[in-house]
């Protein structure tokens, strides 16, 4: 009983202040103050069941504290009037409840006399979910009906086709990794239609362009997102993997101004959520703003921008230290892998919209597309899927002279590269060794984006430096070259071409 009361006091921010509130004092507190925020106590209760039987050990939360259902599937949670939802972390072995692909794992709290009852019905999967796949859609970012049509007629069908290319019954889910729209809330309907077309259930992450920019604080900026998609931070399970979604976009009360930051409320919740996960397990965390990128280093800047990375990421890293962790992010419109110690990999994704629907690529030459992850047990394999192109398309080779600063070299952009890859080249069939990796501008991005007059749709788009470009210098007599990239999983991707036939496209 004491523990429950302390959890409740902690949710009010009163624990540790030397205050003791008796039950009578709590009952005497006004339910709806004339001014200020309502902190009235609320008891949340209910049952999680499947086929009429209670499901034990399911994590249920109000966004402050986490409790587990008992042997009969029942739970009780002391909350307060600032909580918006009661929701669960879907356990492994169960379907993701959804409406036309938009997952629904929550109930909005509507308390009466200080209580709210919420029951949840789970549908058991008909197959083992130890093996499953998921995709990450970063930044669909539609600002017009024209963009929305691209999303619905190209991106969504591409994903549907990809899913169909796997054996029948393969389990898939998606993660919309923020900036689902571009400040135009009326286009959320188009985004949801695209999810419906894709044919798989999607979980959503809030991005900086999904916020209410007229709010006076960060708390108010999430209202529209919550209305459509529920909580901004939550977790779920599939197979042996625990998935977490976080809101790391902190709105500072001025239109379009934000920082990458995780609030204390989220971190305290995350600490409890991860306490339900066995150390050593695989945890996948999705957020919009990357925890970290090396963009500032490429640009020779002293430190990253406040809106470009998560300022208090060290605490996130600390909480993830006991696990094998993958962080999924977007926001940047370029593709990058970031490693934090031996157990954390961050996947900064190229975007569904590319460079804001201006053409086929992102800032760094990565094709418009999305990440695909194949899970078996606790292990993940991954690749980047370019929209409208085969999944084997993992590099682009440019002709000699395409890179102005290295005019005697040919270049290759290998967008999903990380240090475990091996990149080699052959001249007229003869192995020539590994290629030289450099930091430079992608030649196609220069062609499409560099300069004040292009691209015509959004003239402010410019190329960004990337460190996944590779160079080789053919001999004067060379006729054909091959670039061969072997990823960390042993998959080989090869492009062979006559030198005279290479072009920017």
């Amino acid at each position: 009983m004491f523990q429950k009361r302390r959890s409740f006091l902690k949710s009010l921010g009163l624990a540790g202040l030397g205050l003791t509130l008796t039950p009578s004092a709590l009952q005497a507190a006004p339910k709806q103050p004339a001014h200020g925020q309502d902190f009235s106590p609320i008891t949340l209760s209910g049952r999680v069941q499947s086929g009429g039987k209670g499901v034990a050990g399911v994590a249920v939360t109000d966004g402050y504290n986490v409790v587990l259902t008992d042997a009969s599937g029942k739970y009780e949670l002391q909350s307060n009037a600032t909580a918006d939802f009661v929701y669960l972390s879907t356990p492994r072995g169960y379907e993701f409840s959804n409406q036309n692909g938009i997952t629904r794992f929550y109930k909005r709290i509507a308390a009466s006399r200080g209580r709210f009852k919420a029951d949840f019905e789970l549908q058991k999967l008909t197959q083992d979910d130890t093996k499953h796949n998921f995709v990450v859609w970063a930044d669909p970012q539609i600002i017009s009906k024209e963009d929305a049509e691209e999303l619905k007629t190209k991106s969504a069908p591409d994903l549907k086709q990809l899913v169909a290319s796997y054996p029948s019954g393969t389990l898939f889910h998606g993660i919309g990794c923020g900036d689902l729209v571009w400040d135009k809330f009326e286009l959320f309907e188009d985004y949801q239609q695209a999810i419906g077309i894709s044919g798989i259930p999607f979980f959503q992450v809030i991005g900086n362009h999904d916020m209410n920019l007229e709010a006076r604080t960060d708390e108010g900026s999430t209202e529209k997102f919550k209305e459509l998609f529920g909580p901004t931070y939550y977790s779920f399970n599939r197979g042996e993997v625990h998935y977490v979604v976080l809101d790391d976009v902190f709105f500072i009360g001025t239109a379009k101004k934000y920082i990458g930051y995780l609030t204390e409320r989220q971190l305290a919740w995350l600490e409890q959520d991860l306490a339900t996960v066995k150390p050593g397990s695989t945890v996948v965390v999705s957020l919009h703003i990357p925890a970290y990128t090396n963009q500032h280093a490429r640009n020779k800047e002293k430190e990253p921008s406040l809106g470009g990375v998560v300022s208090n990421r060290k605490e996130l890293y600390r909480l993830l230290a006991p696990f094998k962790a993958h962080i999924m992010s977007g926001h940047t419109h370029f593709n990058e892998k970031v490693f934090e110690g031996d157990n954390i990999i961050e996947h900064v994704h190229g975007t569904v919209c590319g460079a804001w629907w201006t053409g086929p690529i992102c800032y760094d030459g990565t094709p418009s597309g999305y990440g695909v992850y194949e899970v078996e047990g606790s292990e993940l394999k991954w690749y980047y899927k370019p929209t409208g192109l085969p999944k084997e398309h993992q590099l682009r080779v440019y002709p000699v002279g395409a890179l102005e600063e290295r005019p005697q070299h040919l270049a290759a952009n290998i967008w999903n590269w990380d240090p475990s890859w091996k990149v080699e080249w052959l001249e007229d069939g003869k192995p020539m060794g590994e290629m030289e990796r450099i930091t430079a501008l992608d030649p196609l991005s220069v062609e499409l984006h560099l300069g004040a007059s292009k691209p015509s749709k959004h003239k402010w788009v410019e190329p960004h430096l990337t460190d996944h470009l590779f160079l080789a210098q053919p001999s004067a007599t060379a006729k054909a070259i091959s670039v061969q990239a072997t990823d960390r999983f042993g998959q080989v991707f090869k492009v062979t071409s006559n030198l005279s036939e290479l072009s920017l496209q």
Side-chain angles (χ1 to χ4, degrees):
M1 182 67 181
F2 173 78
Q3 186 61 40
K4 284 187 177 180
R5 183 164 65 89
R6 183 163 183 82
S7 295
F8 169 58
L9 293 179
K10 184 179 179 182
S11 73
L12 298 185
L14 300 177
L17 297 181
L19 300 179
T20 301
L21 300 183
T22 65
S24 60
L26 289 173
Q27 291 169 3
K31 290 187 176 180
Q32 186 65 46
H35 302 285
Q37 197 165 17
D38 183 6
F39 288 97
S40 302
I42 296 173
T43 299
L44 305 173
S45 63
R47 188 170 187 244
V48 180
Q49 60 184 13
S50 178
K53 295 181 179 180
V55 182
V58 178
V60 181
T61 183
D62 61 349
Y64 288 102
N65 293 304
V66 178
V67 297
L68 299 178
T69 56
D70 65 16
S72 62
K74 293 181 180 179
Y75 71 90
E76 184 171 299
L77 178 61
Q78 299 304 314
S79 186
N80 71 85
T82 64
D84 296 302
F85 303 96
V86 56
Y87 48 106
L88 53 76
S89 184
T90 304
R92 69 172 298 178
Y94 292 90
E95 293 182 4
F96 297 136
S97 177
N98 69 91
Q99 293 176 325
N100 297 320
I102 304 297
T103 51
R104 307 294 186 196
F105 50 90
Y106 56 88
K107 303 284 180 70
R108 185 173 278 276
I109 297 171
S112 175
R113 301 179 182 230
R115 300 191 68 85
F116 181 68
K117 188 173 187 295
D119 295 330
F120 295 90
E121 181 70 30
L122 296 175
Q123 185 72 39
K124 203 158 185 59
L125 285 168
T126 57
Q127 64 197 97
D128 181 23
D129 59 2
T130 302
K131 191 172 182 179
H132 64 274
N133 299 341
F134 68 96
V135 302
V136 176
W137 264 19
D139 301 68
Q141 205 153 349
I142 49 179
I143 198 173
S144 65
K145 283 293 184 181
E146 179 185 16
D147 293 351
E149 281 305 301
E150 292 254 6
L151 184 68
K152 290 189 287 187
T153 61
K154 294 182 180 178
S155 304
D158 186 90
L159 174 52
K160 184 177 181 179
Q161 184 176 9
L162 175 79
V163 173
S165 71
Y166 282 80
S168 178
T170 300
L171 290 171
F172 262 95
H173 67 274
I175 298 168
C177 211
D179 282 0
L180 313 178
V181 299
W182 188 355
D183 303 333
K184 302 288 187 182
F185 287 176
E186 63 271 22
L187 297 176
F188 273 128
E189 177 61 30
D190 294 274
Y191 170 76
Q192 293 180 84
Q193 289 172 7
I195 295 305
I197 292 168
S198 78
I200 64 173
F202 258 77
F203 295 87
Q204 326 311 324
V205 178
I206 190 169
N208 52 288
H209 287 289
D210 303 317
M211 302 187 305
N212 177 4
L213 300 177
E214 297 177 354
R216 72 179 187 179
T217 63
D218 180 63
E219 288 81 358
S221 69
T222 59
E223 285 308 312
K224 187 61 178 181
F225 182 93
K226 288 178 179 178
E227 176 189 325
L228 294 174
F229 306 117
T232 60
Y233 59 93
Y234 53 91
S235 69
F236 58 95
N237 302 275
R238 175 139 283 182
E240 296 177 16
V241 179
H242 183 68
Y243 293 86
V244 176
V245 168
L246 296 175
D247 169 8
D248 68 346
V249 184
F250 191 89
F251 178 63
I252 62 173
T254 301
K256 299 192 178 183
K257 299 292 185 182
Y258 55 86
I259 62 174
Y261 182 78
L262 294 167
T263 62
E264 172 60 27
R265 176 173 164 179
Q266 276 190 90
L267 289 171
W269 169 86
L270 179 60
E271 197 162 21
Q272 295 176 73
D273 177 77
L274 293 178
T276 68
V277 182
K278 182 181 177 182
S281 300
T282 297
V283 175
V284 173
V285 177
S286 296
L287 35 70
H288 179 62
I289 296 174
Y292 193 70
T293 83
N294 290 298
Q295 183 183 16
H296 67 288
R298 292 190 289 273
N299 293 338
K300 297 184 174 6
E301 299 164 348
K302 288 185 177 179
E303 57 186 23
S305 68
L306 287 174
V309 300
V310 176
S311 298
N312 56 342
R313 60 188 172 276
K314 287 185 179 179
E315 182 60 16
L316 175 62
Y317 294 155
R318 185 188 72 81
L319 293 175
L320 293 176
F323 308 99
K324 294 185 296 184
H326 295 265
I327 299 175
M328 308 292 166
S329 59
H331 187 57
T332 65
H333 297 253
F334 57 70
N335 210 64
E336 183 179 6
K337 296 288 183 286
V338 179
F339 295 82
E340 175 62 26
D342 296 329
N343 69 321
I344 299 177
I345 303 176
E346 178 158 13
H347 308 259
V348 184
H349 291 82
T351 53
V352 173
C353 71
W356 289 271
W357 302 105
T358 62
I361 60 171
C362 303
Y363 280 142
D364 64 339
T366 300
S368 308
Y370 49 96
V372 183
Y373 298 83
E374 300 172 339
V375 183
E376 187 161 3
S378 62
E379 299 300 318
L380 273 64
K381 292 184 178 180
W382 56 84
Y383 61 91
Y384 186 86
K385 174 62 176 69
T387 302
L389 294 168
K391 64 182 183 180
E392 293 78 19
H393 182 68
Q394 295 295 309
L395 67 155
R396 186 186 302 112
V397 180
Y398 294 113
V400 172
L403 213 59
E404 186 176 341
E405 60 267 45
R406 302 289 289 272
Q408 295 180 319
H409 292 72
L410 61 86
N413 191 334
I414 303 171
W415 37 83
N416 220 30
W417 174 87
D418 70 51
S420 295
W421 285 54
K422 188 174 184 179
V423 182
E424 305 163 285
W425 72 292
L426 297 86
E427 179 178 295
D428 295 326
K430 179 184 177 182
M432 302 297 289
E434 294 192 36
M435 298 178 73
E436 174 192 1
R437 185 170 69 93
I438 65 164
T439 297
L441 299 176
D442 173 80
L444 181 56
S445 186
V446 169
E447 176 73 17
L448 297 178
H449 302 149
L450 184 64
S453 63
K454 56 186 180 180
S456 58
K457 185 173 182 178
H458 299 304
K459 294 181 180 179
W460 42 264
V461 170
E462 291 291 332
H464 282 199
L465 290 169
T466 180
D467 58 7
H468 45 67
L469 282 175
F470 294 81
L471 299 183
Q473 184 175 356
S475 67
T477 59
K479 293 183 174 55
I481 62 95
S482 296
V483 174
Q484 180 173 296
T486 306
D487 73 7
R488 59 168 45 228
F489 309 112
Q491 298 178 97
V492 179
F493 307 100
K494 190 172 183 179
V495 171
T496 299
S497 180
N498 291 328
L499 283 170
S500 60
E501 294 175 354
L502 288 173
S503 67
L504 284 183
Q505 298 299 323

